[in-house]
Amino acid sequence: MSESPAAVSLVTAPPTDTPPRPVSAQRVQPLRRPGRWIATAVVLVLAAQFVHGLVTNPFYQWDRFGYWFLRPTILDGLLITLEVTAWSAVLGLLGGIVFALARLSGSPVLRAVSWTYVWALRSVPLIVVLLFLYNFSALYQTLSIGVPFGPAFVRFDESRLATDMAIAVVGLSLHESAYAAEVVRGGILSVDQGQHEAAAALGLPKGYQFRRIVFPQALRSITPNYVNQLINLIKSSSLVFYVSLLDLFGTAQSMGSTYPGDIVPLLLVVTVWYLILTSVVSVVQFYVERYYARGATRTLPPTPLQRLRAGLTDVRDRIRREAAV
């Protein structure tokens, strides 16, 4: 049976004089998020108030800050901080690798000694370790090398060996190696067990397996965690002031005692230099992580410069689309 004209008119769209807009001219309205805009405005206002107070408050004495920032005495202390941190970072990482391998060893003696060392050094505050080493000569006046429980072949005067720099480096290295051991051990355990089995199936020596297969893959996990430890080491180096070594913080403390009116500018100098050091380490961390991520990800994470270029390109394209409409 055919449909009636009345029924057909009910389903037929009414004629219109306005043609539909092309798809390219139609715009999708974004979802409104008023809470995000309010939070952004509050944060910007607070940040502006903080910067305004930081710049305009005469108590900070920014002219004295500029005077002290590049003074030779401050730079000498900064050099000592860099030297102590560099030696402690290298020795601490090497010690951490040794203790991590001992912790993973099949020998129960090595495992027990490594666990005890990590447990003890992580339990004792760093300042206690430094002060104990500083007074170590009161316990042992001489150190010797020879037959255990027998005659000594070579003797050393401990007071001559234990300089302020040596005490600082040894104390920080011992403390750092305890934390680095757990970082390295966690990185090694993160490597898939199939990698160990494949290397063993090829008949590769244990040392070669660790150097060329296991450790490079473990570095993807070790690097970010150890860099956090390195940043903490940079800040912990300020404690060497208590063993009579004038690093960056110690120099500022000494100058603050001589010039009590400049204590706040000197503390700002120390703060800015520590911010610079930790920022440099963070940049190095990014590129090291990016380097070791080559075999784990299909696309490497963009560098900050690439992100900036992509952001500028996106803004330019958006402006062109707005102008075209």
Side-chain angles (χ1 to χ4, degrees):
M1 178 183 291
S2 61
E3 297 179 350
S4 63
V8 173
S9 64
L10 292 177
V11 296
T12 303
T16 177
D17 297 334
T18 305
R21 298 178 61 187
V23 178
S24 59
Q26 298 178 7
R27 297 182 59 186
V28 178
Q29 295 295 329
L31 181 64
R32 305 298 181 182
R33 293 185 173 90
R36 179 186 299 179
W37 289 103
I38 294 174
T40 302
V42 171
V43 170
L44 290 177
V45 170
L46 293 177
Q49 288 181 332
F50 174 77
V51 174
H52 179 267
L54 197 65
V55 174
T56 60
N57 193 337
F59 186 72
Y60 291 113
Q61 306 178 56
W62 291 108
D63 56 334
R64 300 299 296 170
F65 169 86
Y67 171 80
W68 285 109
F69 189 71
L70 295 176
R71 295 294 295 174
T73 181
I74 296 294
L75 296 181
D76 290 341
L78 176 64
L79 184 62
I80 292 177
T81 295
L82 293 175
E83 186 175 357
V84 170
T85 303
W87 279 109
S88 302
V90 173
L91 296 177
L93 180 59
L94 294 177
I97 294 174
V98 171
F99 285 109
L101 294 178
R103 185 81 180 274
L104 298 173
S105 172
S107 172
V109 176
L110 293 179
R111 291 201 305 268
V113 171
S114 176
W115 181 89
T116 303
Y117 176 85
V118 172
W119 165 73
L121 267 296
R122 290 200 304 175
S123 302
V124 179
L126 176 58
I127 185 63
V128 176
V129 176
L130 291 173
L131 292 176
F132 185 86
L133 292 176
Y134 189 68
N135 296 280
F136 193 73
S137 60
L139 300 175
Y140 301 96
Q141 286 77 22
T142 59
L143 301 177
S144 61
I145 299 177
V147 179
F149 309 104
F153 300 142
V154 182
R155 294 183 179 275
F156 304 95
D157 187 359
E158 199 276 338
S159 61
R160 294 183 179 180
L161 294 176
T163 61
D164 296 338
M165 177 65 73
I167 292 173
V169 171
V170 171
L172 289 174
S173 300
L174 293 175
H175 196 264
E176 185 69 14
S177 61
Y179 290 91
E182 290 300 285
V183 172
V184 174
R185 186 175 70 91
I188 295 175
L189 293 176
S190 68
V191 178
D192 188 79
Q193 188 62 29
Q195 300 292 319
H196 298 269
E197 296 173 355
L202 294 174
L204 300 177
K206 287 290 187 181
Y208 187 86
Q209 293 180 28
F210 178 76
R211 294 194 310 271
R212 303 303 300 271
I213 298 176
V214 176
F215 194 65
Q217 297 182 64
L219 281 175
R220 288 199 298 266
S221 175
I222 292 174
T223 299
N225 295 320
Y226 187 71
V227 171
N228 288 334
Q229 287 298 123
L230 184 57
I231 292 175
N232 187 59
L233 177 64
I234 294 175
K235 297 182 293 183
S236 298
S237 64
S238 60
L239 295 176
V240 302
F241 168 69
Y242 294 98
V243 294
S244 303
L245 187 64
L246 292 180
D247 66 323
L248 177 61
F249 177 74
T251 301
Q253 284 283 90
S254 178
M255 292 296 100
S257 301
T258 306
Y259 303 92
D262 290 348
I263 293 179
V264 173
L266 285 168
L267 291 178
L268 288 174
V269 167
V270 172
T271 301
V272 172
W273 273 119
Y274 278 124
L275 286 174
I276 293 174
L277 294 180
T278 54
S279 300
V280 171
V281 173
S282 298
V283 172
V284 174
Q285 173 190 1
F286 172 81
Y287 284 99
V288 172
E289 289 181 358
R290 193 172 186 269
Y291 175 81
Y292 284 105
R294 293 180 301 172
T297 59
R298 296 181 181 271
T299 304
L300 293 177
T303 63
L305 183 59
Q306 291 173 342
R307 291 180 181 177
L308 178 61
R309 290 177 178 175
L312 293 177
T313 302
D314 182 63
V315 171
R316 183 182 59 189
D317 294 342
R318 187 179 302 175
I319 293 175
R320 288 179 177 177
R321 288 195 300 268
E322 293 288 342
V325 174

